[in-house]
């Protein structure tokens, strides 16, 4: 009951805070704390660390309980301790793994920790990238939607002008339908943008765990230092994952080589016989005999060494792929910057001038309403397209920074 009361009292305090719009940094922080992918990768690291504790330990000793030489035929059949052969034996044995194999197992366990940590770094990168792109998509989709709303409001004034001209019989009756047609075209664009907003918000909800996720504030700067990114490629989580796999392959090779060294087992037993006869003690050592290494151990060593070479070549190929991808992405980023500058400095100003000139011509009776409305729609299209180009630049910057650099721009 006390717990229930505490939960009820705390709900009004926590719920509003949880539903506040998120800045860019706040969304990343929320995702880092609530994304189940990161919690799962953290559990994977903990599992590898726990397994490493026992990796190089000796096996548990074995307890041997037996009745030996029990007669099943003859005069003493079925009778315990009636002859000098039957014994009740209690023994213990301990296997000793050769030190080279134990060291190799420890190295393999540490490699597993490295693989788990590299996987965790990849998950952190993927979650941060997905959250950042969802925030950018939602931010710009809402801005483009707001741009359409402004045009819809401006059509009210235009509709009043058309109505006045119809009343004065200076416009054709069919022209009264043209603002409604423009509103229908805007409604189609609004539906598409509303779907983009919904998709981006759904992705942001997925990563942050906030069912009412929304955005506020401005996106981060879109500047990229290409030289710095190229200099730090070796520390990328993807390459670190390959490095961990190389370490694991080398540990497997060491483990295969260690099989050429024998393991041994030490055992001791105490045998209790019939009181008329003396008890017996047995001590022994069992040693593995790797007598045919060319057909047993050496093929395994060669296979593990080939796997290690394959891992190194795979890492080299991925590094070249990343270098090429970074150069390509930087080229796209420069292209999108140029397209954005062209839209801001040329396309939008020209569309605005044309729309104003056409509206002035329509007001003066020198142009039909349909042409003036098309110019107005072209202006909105240019402004929305400029926002889309700005979103492309922002997405490029986020994707490049979070893929090839730190998770904070």
């Amino acid at each position: 009951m006390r717990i229930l009361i505490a939960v009820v009292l705390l709900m009004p305090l926590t719920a509003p805070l949880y539903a506040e719009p998120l800045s860019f940094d706040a969304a990343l922080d929320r995702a880092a704390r609530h994304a189940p992918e990161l919690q799962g990768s953290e559990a994977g690291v903990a599992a590898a660390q726990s397994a490493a504790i026992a990796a190089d330990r000796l096996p548990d000793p074995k307890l041997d309980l037996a009745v030996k030489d029990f007669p099943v035929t003859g005069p003493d059949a079925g009778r315990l301790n009636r002859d000098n052969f039957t014994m009740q034996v209690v023994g213990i044995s301990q296997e000793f793994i050769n030190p080279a194999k134990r060291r190799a197992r420890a190295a393999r366990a540490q490699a597993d920790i490295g693989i788990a940590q590299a996987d965790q770094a990849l998950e952190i990168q993927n979650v941060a990238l997905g959250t950042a792109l969802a925030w950018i998509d939602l931010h710009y989709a809402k801005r483009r939607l707001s741009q359409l709303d402004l045009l819809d409001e401006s059509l009210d004034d235009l509709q009043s002008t058309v109505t006045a001209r119809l009343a004065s019989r200076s416009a054709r009756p069919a022209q009264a339908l043209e603002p409604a047609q423009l509103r229908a075209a805007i409604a189609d664009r609004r539906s598409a943008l509303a779907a983009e907003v919904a998709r981006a918000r759904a992705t942001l909800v997925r990563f942050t765990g906030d069912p009412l996720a929304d955005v506020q504030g401005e996106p981060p700067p879109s500047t990229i230092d290409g030289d710095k990114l190229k200099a730090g490629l070796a520390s990328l989580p993807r390459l670190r994952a390959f490095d961990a796999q190389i370490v694991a392959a080398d540990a497997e090779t060491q483990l295969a080589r260690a099989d050429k060294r024998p393991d041994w087992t030490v055992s001791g037993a105490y045998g209790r016989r019939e009181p008329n006869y003396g008890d017996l003690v047995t001590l022994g050592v069992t040693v593995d005999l790797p007598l045919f290494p060319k057909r047993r151990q050496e093929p395994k060593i060669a296979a593990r060494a080939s796997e290690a070479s394959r891992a190194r070549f795979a890492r080299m190929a991925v590094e070249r792929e990343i270098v090429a991808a970074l150069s390509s992405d930087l080229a796209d980023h420069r292209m999108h910057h140029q397209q954005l500058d062209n839209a801001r400095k040329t396309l939008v100003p020209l569309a605005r001038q044309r729309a104003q000139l056409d509206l002035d011509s329509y007001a003066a009776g020198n142009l039909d309403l349909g042409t003036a409305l098309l110019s107005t729609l072209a202006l909105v299209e240019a402004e929305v397209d400029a926002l889309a180009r700005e979103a492309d630049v922002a997405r490029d910057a986020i994707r490049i920074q979070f893929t090839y650099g730190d998770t904070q721009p």
Side-chain angles (χ1 to χ4, degrees):
M1 181 59 70
R2 292 178 180 176
I3 295 176
L4 179 60
I5 293 174
V7 171
V8 173
L9 291 176
L10 288 175
M11 284 179 59
L13 298 176
T14 58
L17 294 177
Y18 195 67
E20 284 184 352
L22 300 171
S23 66
F24 184 81
D25 292 335
L28 293 178
D29 180 69
R30 175 75 55 85
R33 289 185 288 111
H34 294 282
E37 295 92 337
L38 301 187
Q39 297 173 358
S41 62
E42 185 177 354
V45 173
Q49 291 172 340
S50 296
I53 297 174
D56 61 343
R57 304 301 183 202
L58 292 175
D60 292 332
K62 297 178 181 179
L63 179 65
D64 183 17
L65 300 176
V67 175
K68 293 186 177 181
D69 300 328
F70 184 73
V72 294
T73 61
D76 293 327
R79 297 180 181 181
L80 187 63
N81 291 333
R82 291 298 302 271
D83 61 15
N84 63 338
F85 297 107
T86 303
M87 291 186 295
Q88 302 170 31
V89 179
V90 176
I92 190 169
S93 62
Q94 174 65 60
E95 183 180 4
F96 289 89
I97 307 298
N98 73 77
K101 185 179 293 185
R102 293 175 62 185
R103 288 193 297 269
R105 288 179 178 178
R108 184 65 176 87
Q110 291 300 317
D112 288 339
I113 294 176
I115 291 174
Q117 290 173 338
D119 291 342
Q120 183 184 34
L122 280 173
E123 287 294 345
I124 292 173
Q125 183 185 53
N126 292 335
V127 168
L129 176 60
T131 304
L133 291 179
W135 194 97
I136 291 293
D137 291 342
L138 183 56
H139 173 82
Y140 282 101
K142 291 180 65 177
R143 285 183 60 182
R144 283 181 284 168
L145 194 58
S146 298
Q147 195 70 37
L148 290 181
D149 291 338
L150 292 176
L151 175 62
D152 208 5
E153 293 174 1
S154 67
L155 288 179
D156 294 336
D157 296 335
L158 189 59
Q159 184 68 60
S160 300
T161 302
V162 173
T163 302
R165 296 189 65 176
L166 287 174
S168 63
R169 297 184 179 181
S170 59
R172 293 179 290 105
Q175 290 180 338
L177 303 177
E178 291 176 344
Q181 290 176 327
L182 182 57
R183 276 199 171 95
I186 294 173
D188 287 341
R189 292 296 306 271
R190 181 183 289 107
S191 297
L193 286 175
E196 290 186 28
V197 169
R199 286 194 296 268
R201 179 173 282 115
T203 305
L204 195 60
V205 169
R206 171 201 164 188
F207 287 114
T208 62
D210 185 350
L212 301 176
D214 202 354
V215 297
Q216 69 176 4
E218 294 300 319
S222 299
T223 56
I224 293 295
D225 188 345
D227 294 335
K228 181 179 179 181
L229 293 177
K230 291 178 180 178
L233 290 181
S235 61
L236 290 182
R238 188 178 176 189
L239 291 179
R240 285 165 51 193
F242 275 91
D243 291 337
Q245 293 175 6
I246 291 173
V247 174
D250 289 339
E252 289 288 347
T253 304
Q254 295 175 12
L255 193 59
R257 289 195 179 101
D259 282 338
K260 298 180 70 174
R261 301 184 181 184
D263 300 332
W264 63 91
T265 302
V266 176
S267 60
Y270 184 87
R272 180 178 176 275
R273 301 195 295 174
E274 205 274 333
N276 293 330
Y277 304 98
D279 296 342
L280 300 177
V281 173
T282 301
L283 298 175
V285 176
T286 303
V287 181
D288 294 338
L289 298 177
L291 298 179
F292 306 99
K294 291 185 178 180
R295 294 189 177 182
R296 294 178 180 175
Q297 287 80 21
E298 290 183 3
K300 293 181 180 180
I301 295 172
R304 298 297 179 267
S306 296
E307 286 292 328
S309 298
R310 185 192 63 82
R312 284 181 170 83
F313 285 122
R315 199 258 189 211
M316 186 183 303
V318 170
E319 184 175 11
R320 292 183 179 181
E321 176 187 346
I322 290 175
V323 171
L326 175 58
S327 299
S328 177
D329 290 340
L330 290 174
D332 289 341
H333 188 50
R334 288 190 294 269
M335 174 192 69
H336 288 150
H337 257 299
Q338 293 170 357
Q339 292 177 343
L340 176 60
D341 289 340
N342 186 42
R344 286 175 173 173
K345 297 177 180 179
T346 304
L347 297 179
V348 173
L350 288 177
R352 183 177 294 111
Q353 293 176 13
R354 179 174 181 177
Q356 186 61 47
L357 290 173
D358 286 348
L359 286 176
D360 293 342
S361 297
Y362 167 71
N366 299 325
L367 189 69
D368 64 283
L369 179 61
T371 303
L373 290 177
L374 288 177
S375 297
T376 302
L377 181 60
L379 171 59
V380 176
E381 292 283 354
E383 291 175 336
V384 172
D385 179 66
L387 283 175
R389 296 185 183 193
E390 184 179 339
D392 288 339
V393 172
R395 282 181 59 87
D396 283 345
I398 291 297
R399 187 168 52 82
I400 291 172
Q401 184 65 44
F402 281 61
T403 302
Y404 305 103
D406 297 331
T407 56
Q408 290 290 344

